[in-house]
Amino acid sequence: MGQVSREFQIFVKPVGAFCNLACHYCYYLDKKDLYPESSLTRMEEKVLEQYIIQHFEAAPGPEVSFSWHGGEPTTLGVGFFRKVVELQRKHRPPGWTVRNGMQTNGVLLDDEWCRFLKAENFAIGLSLDGPAELHDPYRVARGGQPTHRLAMRGYELLQKYGIHTDLLCVVHSLNVRYPLTVYRFFRDIGCRFLGFLPVVEQVPGAPNGVSPYTPSAEDYGAFLCKIFDEWLARDVGRIVVQIFDEAARPALGMEHSLCVFRETCGDVPTIEHNGDFFPCDHYVDREHRLGNIFQTPLAELLESREQRAFGDAKRDALPRYCRECEVLAMCNGGCPKYRFIETPDGEPGLNYLCAGLKRFFLHSREPLARLVARQREPAPAPRPAIPKVGRNDPCPCGSGRKYKKCCAAQ
């Protein structure tokens, strides 16, 4: 099978769930139990090369993007990624452009890493949850030590080397209460691209049915609204906030770029360290394993009936409450993984964050529409050049008076 019929992004997990940190809210750490036969999950070179070959074969080109995730990909060492770019050059079709992105906690970054990342034009997503007092309680090393200082050292190195960096802030039950503290911290450190990822962890039987790290939907909505107002007043055009960009897309007639807000999903699958293919980063489990790239080509997995059905279910399973919602185009029901509460009329399948997202989308809708309208306004016509005239010449405005007594005096 050749190229697939649509664009796709793959989260590649070359080290599986292995990480040098033990963040309290991490949903991926327990994925290590999926492979109990192996204590070390490292993508072998034969798997890496086969994946790169098949990614090129499946991609429509001429630009191809690779996304390296974890766990923590930097635990593999810079040598692994030197091999990555070597294999990409070996198998890249003539004239094609390769882009690489990596999501990291930044703790292991050093000058060698940054020289490599800059030379190979990697884009970096760095996880940072705000200032130390809001980052350190939940983002800890495996021995429980705080990590903010080390993450900031990594960020400063990325800035020093001029590496494109998006900051990703996990919104949890602590920092959600301090929206402006969080946002102003990012602005103060020179952030230009900022994303917010809410913790949503279902725990049946727990208070409110979620983990203690999960913010309430109401708090999450208030968090977004507070930051939006600050951004609107001070930072439009200076800081790109991913969810604000997404909220503006319907007014621009653009499709959502973030999978959680698209009408259907399934365009961002995951490949584990051994070549196993899963429909989504949130559904890496035995039930949702769709195959392995050594048995089934990547293009075939991407176009498979199972992958299509997984993606279409996001749209088709929406409860009536969502289908009739005035902000449906902005939300599309959100991530299916978070749809575990009931609608006001008792229908299952409502997103846990619904109340907060709806509050934010209603709050931001009109201001964003005005911003979009201003962007679409034609540029003012250039003012005609004023002819050069002497002070005692007739005024060019046609008044009949001397220039010095007319327009020159105004």
Side-chain angles (χ1 to χ4, degrees), residues 113-129:
W113 262 111
C114 289
R115 283 192 294 268
F116 165 78
L117 296 171
K118 179 63 175 179
E120 300 300 340
N121 199 31
F122 270 62
I124 297 299
L126 182 73
S127 298
L128 196 61
D129 292 354

PDB file of all heavy atoms in Angstrom, residues 113-129:
ATOM      1  N   TRP A 113      23.578  18.275  23.646  1.00  0.00           N
ATOM      2  CA  TRP A 113      22.225  18.091  23.138  1.00  0.00           C
ATOM      3  C   TRP A 113      21.803  19.310  22.303  1.00  0.00           C
ATOM      4  O   TRP A 113      21.275  19.177  21.195  1.00  0.00           O
ATOM      5  CB  TRP A 113      21.242  17.905  24.298  1.00  0.00           C
ATOM      6  CG  TRP A 113      20.886  16.493  24.617  1.00  0.00           C
ATOM      7  CD1 TRP A 113      21.224  15.780  25.734  1.00  0.00           C
ATOM      8  CD2 TRP A 113      20.085  15.603  23.820  1.00  0.00           C
ATOM      9  NE1 TRP A 113      20.687  14.510  25.675  1.00  0.00           N
ATOM     10  CE2 TRP A 113      19.993  14.381  24.519  1.00  0.00           C
ATOM     11  CE3 TRP A 113      19.455  15.724  22.584  1.00  0.00           C
ATOM     12  CZ2 TRP A 113      19.286  13.287  24.024  1.00  0.00           C
ATOM     13  CZ3 TRP A 113      18.742  14.632  22.090  1.00  0.00           C
ATOM     14  CH2 TRP A 113      18.671  13.434  22.808  1.00  0.00           C
ATOM     15  N   CYS A 114      22.017  20.489  22.841  1.00  0.00           N
ATOM     16  CA  CYS A 114      21.517  21.688  22.171  1.00  0.00           C
ATOM     17  C   CYS A 114      22.269  21.990  20.885  1.00  0.00           C
ATOM     18  O   CYS A 114      21.663  22.473  19.917  1.00  0.00           O
ATOM     19  CB  CYS A 114      21.554  22.871  23.136  1.00  0.00           C
ATOM     20  SG  CYS A 114      20.291  22.736  24.440  1.00  0.00           S
ATOM     21  N   ARG A 115      23.550  21.704  20.841  1.00  0.00           N
ATOM     22  CA  ARG A 115      24.275  21.871  19.574  1.00  0.00           C
ATOM     23  C   ARG A 115      23.686  20.963  18.509  1.00  0.00           C
ATOM     24  O   ARG A 115      23.510  21.351  17.348  1.00  0.00           O
ATOM     25  CB  ARG A 115      25.763  21.586  19.778  1.00  0.00           C
ATOM     26  CG  ARG A 115      26.532  22.722  20.462  1.00  0.00           C
ATOM     27  CD  ARG A 115      28.038  22.517  20.366  1.00  0.00           C
ATOM     28  NE  ARG A 115      28.474  21.341  21.123  1.00  0.00           N
ATOM     29  CZ  ARG A 115      28.876  21.381  22.394  1.00  0.00           C
ATOM     30  NH1 ARG A 115      28.871  22.528  23.062  1.00  0.00           N
ATOM     31  NH2 ARG A 115      29.275  20.276  23.004  1.00  0.00           N
ATOM     32  N   PHE A 116      23.374  19.724  18.896  1.00  0.00           N
ATOM     33  CA  PHE A 116      22.767  18.777  17.957  1.00  0.00           C
ATOM     34  C   PHE A 116      21.373  19.240  17.530  1.00  0.00           C
ATOM     35  O   PHE A 116      21.048  19.264  16.330  1.00  0.00           O
ATOM     36  CB  PHE A 116      22.686  17.387  18.595  1.00  0.00           C
ATOM     37  CG  PHE A 116      21.774  16.440  17.864  1.00  0.00           C
ATOM     38  CD1 PHE A 116      22.187  15.823  16.697  1.00  0.00           C
ATOM     39  CD2 PHE A 116      20.483  16.185  18.331  1.00  0.00           C
ATOM     40  CE1 PHE A 116      21.345  14.959  16.004  1.00  0.00           C
ATOM     41  CE2 PHE A 116      19.635  15.324  17.645  1.00  0.00           C
ATOM     42  CZ  PHE A 116      20.070  14.711  16.486  1.00  0.00           C
ATOM     43  N   LEU A 117      20.544  19.607  18.499  1.00  0.00           N
ATOM     44  CA  LEU A 117      19.170  20.015  18.191  1.00  0.00           C
ATOM     45  C   LEU A 117      19.144  21.223  17.274  1.00  0.00           C
ATOM     46  O   LEU A 117      18.328  21.311  16.355  1.00  0.00           O
ATOM     47  CB  LEU A 117      18.414  20.314  19.491  1.00  0.00           C
ATOM     48  CG  LEU A 117      18.200  19.128  20.440  1.00  0.00           C
ATOM     49  CD1 LEU A 117      17.632  19.619  21.766  1.00  0.00           C
ATOM     50  CD2 LEU A 117      17.283  18.071  19.826  1.00  0.00           C
ATOM     51  N   LYS A 118      20.050  22.169  17.502  1.00  0.00           N
ATOM     52  CA  LYS A 118      20.112  23.357  16.656  1.00  0.00           C
ATOM     53  C   LYS A 118      20.604  22.995  15.251  1.00  0.00           C
ATOM     54  O   LYS A 118      20.018  23.442  14.248  1.00  0.00           O
ATOM     55  CB  LYS A 118      21.050  24.389  17.285  1.00  0.00           C
ATOM     56  CG  LYS A 118      21.203  25.662  16.471  1.00  0.00           C
ATOM     57  CD  LYS A 118      19.880  26.404  16.346  1.00  0.00           C
ATOM     58  CE  LYS A 118      20.058  27.736  15.634  1.00  0.00           C
ATOM     59  NZ  LYS A 118      18.771  28.454  15.475  1.00  0.00           N
ATOM     60  N   ALA A 119      21.649  22.197  15.183  1.00  0.00           N
ATOM     61  CA  ALA A 119      22.215  21.838  13.880  1.00  0.00           C
ATOM     62  C   ALA A 119      21.207  21.089  13.024  1.00  0.00           C
ATOM     63  O   ALA A 119      21.170  21.246  11.801  1.00  0.00           O
ATOM     64  CB  ALA A 119      23.488  21.016  14.074  1.00  0.00           C
ATOM     65  N   GLU A 120      20.378  20.261  13.658  1.00  0.00           N
ATOM     66  CA  GLU A 120      19.420  19.439  12.915  1.00  0.00           C
ATOM     67  C   GLU A 120      18.021  20.045  12.877  1.00  0.00           C
ATOM     68  O   GLU A 120      17.072  19.403  12.430  1.00  0.00           O
ATOM     69  CB  GLU A 120      19.366  18.027  13.515  1.00  0.00           C
ATOM     70  CG  GLU A 120      20.705  17.294  13.472  1.00  0.00           C
ATOM     71  CD  GLU A 120      21.246  17.098  12.062  1.00  0.00           C
ATOM     72  OE1 GLU A 120      20.441  17.182  11.101  1.00  0.00           O
ATOM     73  OE2 GLU A 120      22.450  16.862  11.913  1.00  0.00           O
ATOM     74  N   ASN A 121      17.898  21.259  13.390  1.00  0.00           N
ATOM     75  CA  ASN A 121      16.645  22.021  13.301  1.00  0.00           C
ATOM     76  C   ASN A 121      15.473  21.307  13.972  1.00  0.00           C
ATOM     77  O   ASN A 121      14.352  21.291  13.456  1.00  0.00           O
ATOM     78  CB  ASN A 121      16.315  22.327  11.832  1.00  0.00           C
ATOM     79  CG  ASN A 121      15.319  23.463  11.700  1.00  0.00           C
ATOM     80  OD1 ASN A 121      15.280  24.367  12.523  1.00  0.00           O
ATOM     81  ND2 ASN A 121      14.497  23.410  10.665  1.00  0.00           N
ATOM     82  N   PHE A 122      15.709  20.711  15.137  1.00  0.00           N
ATOM     83  CA  PHE A 122      14.629  20.109  15.917  1.00  0.00           C
ATOM     84  C   PHE A 122      13.794  21.218  16.560  1.00  0.00           C
ATOM     85  O   PHE A 122      14.336  22.222  17.048  1.00  0.00           O
ATOM     86  CB  PHE A 122      15.190  19.231  17.032  1.00  0.00           C
ATOM     87  CG  PHE A 122      15.420  17.795  16.656  1.00  0.00           C
ATOM     88  CD1 PHE A 122      16.314  17.461  15.648  1.00  0.00           C
ATOM     89  CD2 PHE A 122      14.764  16.763  17.320  1.00  0.00           C
ATOM     90  CE1 PHE A 122      16.554  16.140  15.308  1.00  0.00           C
ATOM     91  CE2 PHE A 122      14.995  15.444  16.982  1.00  0.00           C
ATOM     92  CZ  PHE A 122      15.888  15.121  15.983  1.00  0.00           C
ATOM     93  N   ALA A 123      12.482  21.032  16.585  1.00  0.00           N
ATOM     94  CA  ALA A 123      11.598  21.868  17.395  1.00  0.00           C
ATOM     95  C   ALA A 123      11.343  21.124  18.701  1.00  0.00           C
ATOM     96  O   ALA A 123      11.150  19.903  18.707  1.00  0.00           O
ATOM     97  CB  ALA A 123      10.289  22.129  16.668  1.00  0.00           C
ATOM     98  N   ILE A 124      11.325  21.860  19.803  1.00  0.00           N
ATOM     99  CA  ILE A 124      11.217  21.232  21.111  1.00  0.00           C
ATOM    100  C   ILE A 124       9.950  21.679  21.820  1.00  0.00           C
ATOM    101  O   ILE A 124       9.606  22.862  21.842  1.00  0.00           O
ATOM    102  CB  ILE A 124      12.450  21.590  21.979  1.00  0.00           C
ATOM    103  CG1 ILE A 124      13.719  21.033  21.342  1.00  0.00           C
ATOM    104  CG2 ILE A 124      12.292  21.042  23.399  1.00  0.00           C
ATOM    105  CD1 ILE A 124      13.757  19.531  21.192  1.00  0.00           C
ATOM    106  N   GLY A 125       9.260  20.703  22.403  1.00  0.00           N
ATOM    107  CA  GLY A 125       8.197  20.978  23.348  1.00  0.00           C
ATOM    108  C   GLY A 125       8.734  20.706  24.735  1.00  0.00           C
ATOM    109  O   GLY A 125       9.215  19.600  25.007  1.00  0.00           O
ATOM    110  N   LEU A 126       8.707  21.702  25.603  1.00  0.00           N
ATOM    111  CA  LEU A 126       9.264  21.566  26.952  1.00  0.00           C
ATOM    112  C   LEU A 126       8.140  21.630  27.974  1.00  0.00           C
ATOM    113  O   LEU A 126       7.333  22.566  27.963  1.00  0.00           O
ATOM    114  CB  LEU A 126      10.281  22.677  27.217  1.00  0.00           C
ATOM    115  CG  LEU A 126      10.984  22.620  28.575  1.00  0.00           C
ATOM    116  CD1 LEU A 126      11.993  21.478  28.618  1.00  0.00           C
ATOM    117  CD2 LEU A 126      11.664  23.936  28.891  1.00  0.00           C
ATOM    118  N   SER A 127       8.107  20.653  28.856  1.00  0.00           N
ATOM    119  CA  SER A 127       7.068  20.593  29.879  1.00  0.00           C
ATOM    120  C   SER A 127       7.476  21.416  31.098  1.00  0.00           C
ATOM    121  O   SER A 127       8.531  21.187  31.688  1.00  0.00           O
ATOM    122  CB  SER A 127       6.819  19.144  30.291  1.00  0.00           C
ATOM    123  OG  SER A 127       6.364  18.379  29.191  1.00  0.00           O
ATOM    124  N   LEU A 128       6.628  22.364  31.460  1.00  0.00           N
ATOM    125  CA  LEU A 128       6.903  23.256  32.573  1.00  0.00           C
ATOM    126  C   LEU A 128       5.553  23.723  33.109  1.00  0.00           C
ATOM    127  O   LEU A 128       4.721  24.196  32.334  1.00  0.00           O
ATOM    128  CB  LEU A 128       7.735  24.444  32.083  1.00  0.00           C
ATOM    129  CG  LEU A 128       8.456  25.332  33.073  1.00  0.00           C
ATOM    130  CD1 LEU A 128       9.494  24.543  33.879  1.00  0.00           C
ATOM    131  CD2 LEU A 128       9.151  26.479  32.335  1.00  0.00           C
ATOM    132  N   ASP A 129       5.335  23.594  34.411  1.00  0.00           N
ATOM    133  CA  ASP A 129       4.000  23.847  34.963  1.00  0.00           C
ATOM    134  C   ASP A 129       3.866  25.190  35.667  1.00  0.00           C
ATOM    135  O   ASP A 129       2.973  25.381  36.495  1.00  0.00           O
ATOM    136  CB  ASP A 129       3.608  22.724  35.929  1.00  0.00           C
ATOM    137  CG  ASP A 129       3.384  21.399  35.218  1.00  0.00           C
ATOM    138  OD1 ASP A 129       3.412  21.384  33.984  1.00  0.00           O
ATOM    139  OD2 ASP A 129       3.186  20.385  35.910  1.00  0.00           O
TER     140      ASP A 129
END
